[in-house]
């Protein structure tokens, strides 16, 4: 992605496995969240990639406080 000043900005993406490990849940839970639209993901080949910003939005949306 190109920023407003012409410099490239790189986004951080995680695999479904990395997200599952971070949240300490089973990977199938992440796949269900993706299928239900709770977590936005990009399918690259056979694998999903989750943008760091989308993961942060999901965590914020599920916060109890």
């Amino acid at each position: 992605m190109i920023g407003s000043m012409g410099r490239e900005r790189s986004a951080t993406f995680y695999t479904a496995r990395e997200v599952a490990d971070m949240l300490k849940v089973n990977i199938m839970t992440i796949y269900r969240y993706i299928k239900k639209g709770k977590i936005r993901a990009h399918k690259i080949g056979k694998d999903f990639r989750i943008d760091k910003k989308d993961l942060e939005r999901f965590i914020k949306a599920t916060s109890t406080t």
Side-chain angles (χ1 to χ4, degrees), residues 26-41:
N26 189 291
I27 192 168
M28 294 309 295
T29 301
I30 301 303
Y31 289 140
R32 281 193 295 274
Y33 288 168
I34 291 169
K35 185 175 181 179
K36 290 182 178 184
K38 292 182 177 185
I39 296 178
R40 187 169 176 233

Side-chain angles (χ1 to χ4, degrees), residues 4-16:
S4 61
M5 299 300 287
R7 289 177 270 158
E8 285 192 36
R9 295 185 316 197
S10 62
T12 301
F13 289 90
Y14 300 113
T15 65

Side-chain angles (χ1 to χ4, degrees), residues 3-4 8 11 16 24-25 28 32-34 40 43 48-49 54 57 64-65:
S4 61
E8 285 192 36
K24 296 182 178 18
V25 297
M28 294 309 295
R32 281 193 295 274
Y33 288 168
I34 291 169
R40 187 169 176 233
K43 192 164 187 181
F48 287 101
R49 296 290 185 266
D54 291 324
R57 264 188 231 114
T64 60
T65 56

Side-chain angles (χ1 to χ4, degrees), residues 48-62:
F48 287 101
R49 296 290 185 266
I50 300 163
D51 190 314
K52 180 179 179 181
K53 291 180 182 181
D54 291 324
L55 178 59
E56 290 170 349
R57 264 188 231 114
F58 169 76
I59 292 170
K60 185 175 181 181
T62 59

